[in-house]
Amino acid sequence: MSIEQAPAPEQSVDERQLREMVRDFMEGEVAPQIRELEELKRLPAELFRQFGELGLLGVTIPEQYGGSAMSHRELAWVVEEIARVCPGVALSVGATNSLPIGHIYKFGTEEQRMKYLPALCSGEKVGSWGLTEPNAGCDSFATETKAEKVNGGWLLNGRKSLITHASFCDTAVVMAKTTPEGGHNGVSAFIVERGMTGFESGKTEDKLGMCASDTGDLVFKDCLVPEENLLGEVHQGGKGALAVLDGGRIGIASLSVGLAQGALDHSLRYAHDRKQFGKPIAQFQAIQFKLADMQTHIHAARLMVMNAADVKEKEGRAGVSAAMAKLFASEICVKAAEEAIQIHGGYGYTKDFLVEKFWRDSKLLTIGEGTSEVQRLIIAKQILNDTR
């Protein structure tokens, strides 16, 4: 299915050209190596640099810091087009844009921005963002990682888990407790660099899906972080992380739309090619209904994502719009991937066809950046407050 055939919100000429550029790169350079990337379980350094050269790692960051100075709407298109071909690659690119780069840009000093952002935006260095811990999942601010004020800086001790790019990141933004009370008002953010004494990678996860993106632990053992690497105000890192997650949810929603669209693309091709009882299965009403539902859900999810991106652009935060987009898009994404396998029948359960990968990849999207249950809590809280 071409861009022209895919229902989409109104697009500018720049947005259309951006989509075409990303799609050409993904289909020409990345698609042929999808299975190899899954076996490697990470993006190669060269591929990171290629994304950086295309301006896709700091999409919304001003040019003075090495970014592309585009809108949140354009970032959503970028993540969708990448996910349409390989959701795991989209996870790495989307996380890089929204989390470490987004956090440093939003809360960093001018010196921190100039020091770290150009290398991250170019793909010369790889970033991570450390919030989740083994005993702090949905309640991410029940953090046990501690930062103790010492002469010359802060001493970090603890472990972060389920962190994208944990095994090979160069720069990590890490949240740690700086007061005994902890919670949102007791957490601070720090920029930690590879090579700092006491900072190392831990366990690498062997995951169900998103295998082209590395996930693992970051470990801190008396890691001395200089005072100038405190990111934002002390004790305010929790609030900062919530603001960063706001944009991250739009990224996951965009990724969900792209994955669902990729599942539909594969299903359409297969339905036209596969013949049963003397005709393509696309002519059977049962298959047509599945395709129609997939297309309708994808179109609705895409509209919600673009609305959230527009709100983010205008107001700085998307709040409940991002939560609704993330909830709806991630859940229809899982359904679309499952229907793609059903349309492919027994072949859909084999690795001869990519729909099995799309199905494995899809489930993370109802979990990462806040589970579906967390999104429902955010939405419910907002509408209940509005109706008091």
Side-chain angles (χ1 to χ4, degrees):
M1 177 180 284
S2 69
I3 291 175
E4 289 70 25
Q5 292 172 301
E10 184 178 347
Q11 303 164 73
S12 67
V13 173
D14 287 345
E15 288 174 346
R16 183 173 292 274
Q17 291 176 342
L18 175 65
R19 292 183 71 195
E20 290 172 347
M21 181 269 286
V22 176
R23 182 172 299 189
D24 288 345
F25 176 74
M26 289 301 297
E27 291 181 348
E29 300 294 328
V30 179
Q33 53 180 322
I34 286 176
R35 293 300 188 188
E36 293 177 21
L37 293 175
E38 288 228 310
E39 290 296 322
L40 185 62
K41 300 187 185 300
R42 58 181 281 185
L43 262 63
E46 177 56 31
L47 192 51
F48 260 107
R49 283 192 290 271
Q50 286 179 286
F51 279 115
E53 289 168 5
L54 292 172
L56 303 180
L57 295 181
V59 175
T60 62
I61 304 303
E63 293 179 358
Q64 68 198 78
Y65 306 118
S68 299
M70 289 191 269
S71 68
H72 290 281
R73 186 184 177 95
E74 288 169 307
L75 176 57
W77 284 126
V78 166
V79 174
E80 178 183 331
E81 287 299 331
I82 296 173
R84 195 170 184 164
V85 173
C86 184
V89 172
L91 183 64
S92 279
V93 173
T96 298
N97 274 279
S98 299
L99 301 178
I101 287 179
H103 201 145
I104 293 172
Y105 173 65
K106 189 171 182 65
F107 294 100
T109 63
E110 186 65 14
E111 290 75 17
Q112 288 171 338
R113 290 174 177 175
M114 292 303 298
K115 180 177 180 180
Y116 294 106
L117 291 180
L120 292 171
C121 290
S122 69
E124 177 189 341
K125 292 190 175 181
V126 177
S128 276
W129 195 74
L131 177 62
T132 303
E133 297 186 1
N135 295 319
C138 291
D139 184 10
S140 296
F141 295 105
T143 179
E144 296 175 1
T145 298
K146 296 180 180 179
E148 178 187 357
K149 189 74 177 71
V150 295
N151 226 0
W154 298 82
L155 208 58
L156 267 62
N157 281 282
R159 177 184 296 268
K160 297 294 178 178
S161 61
L162 301 174
I163 306 303
T164 302
H165 307 149
S167 73
F168 65 104
C169 67
D170 301 291
T171 306
V173 174
V174 179
M175 272 52 71
K177 185 187 297 185
T178 45
T179 66
E181 294 78 16
H184 293 185
N185 295 319
V187 172
S188 300
F190 301 89
I191 302 173
V192 187
E193 300 176 57
R194 183 73 66 178
M196 285 183 175
T197 303
F199 172 39
E200 59 188 44
S201 300
K203 171 189 176 186
T204 297
E205 300 293 346
D206 188 7
K207 309 190 298 289
L208 169 70
M210 296 292 186
C211 296
S213 180
D214 169 82
T215 304
D217 289 359
L218 298 176
V219 181
F220 307 95
K221 299 177 181 178
D222 289 334
C223 176
L224 180 61
V225 179
E227 181 64 39
E228 61 266 25
N229 281 39
L230 174 68
L231 180 58
E233 296 181 22
V234 68
H235 308 326
Q236 298 301 305
K239 291 179 180 177
L242 288 177
V244 171
L245 285 171
D246 182 71
R249 289 182 180 124
I250 299 175
I252 293 294
S254 308
L255 202 166
S256 299
V257 172
L259 192 158
Q261 185 66 61
L264 175 58
D265 292 347
H266 285 285
S267 298
L268 285 166
R269 284 193 288 269
Y270 188 81
H272 284 303
D273 294 341
R274 175 69 168 166
K275 290 182 172 60
Q276 290 285 274
F277 305 103
K279 58 183 178 181
I281 63 172
Q283 294 183 22
F284 292 109
Q285 191 177 66
I287 301 298
Q288 292 174 356
F289 281 6
K290 291 182 185 298
L291 297 171
D293 285 345
M294 291 164 74
Q295 180 74 316
T296 302
H297 292 154
I298 292 166
H299 185 47
R302 184 179 287 121
L303 289 170
M304 293 181 74
V305 170
M306 292 302 157
N307 174 69
D310 287 342
V311 172
K312 176 79 171 176
E313 193 70 27
K314 293 173 185 175
E315 301 180 12
R317 293 198 65 173
V320 73
S321 297
M324 290 192 295
K326 196 270 185 187
L327 171 65
F328 184 75
S330 64
E331 295 201 342
I332 68 99
C333 161
V334 174
K335 180 64 175 174
E338 184 177 72
E339 290 287 44
I341 289 181
Q342 199 71 16
I343 290 168
H344 282 70
Y347 288 115
Y349 205 67
T350 72
K351 290 199 173 183
D352 291 334
F353 292 84
L354 281 175
V355 290
E356 63 81 29
K357 165 188 157 49
F358 277 66
W359 183 60
R360 288 186 289 106
D361 288 350
S362 69
K363 188 55 198 169
L364 175 68
L365 303 175
T366 65
I367 300 169
E369 304 287 358
T371 63
S372 290
E373 290 74 21
V374 167
Q375 307 312 313
R376 288 185 168 93
L377 285 173
I378 294 170
I379 297 162
K381 181 179 179 180
Q382 182 66 52
I383 59 177
L384 288 170
N385 286 340
D386 288 347
T387 55
R388 277 181 179 174

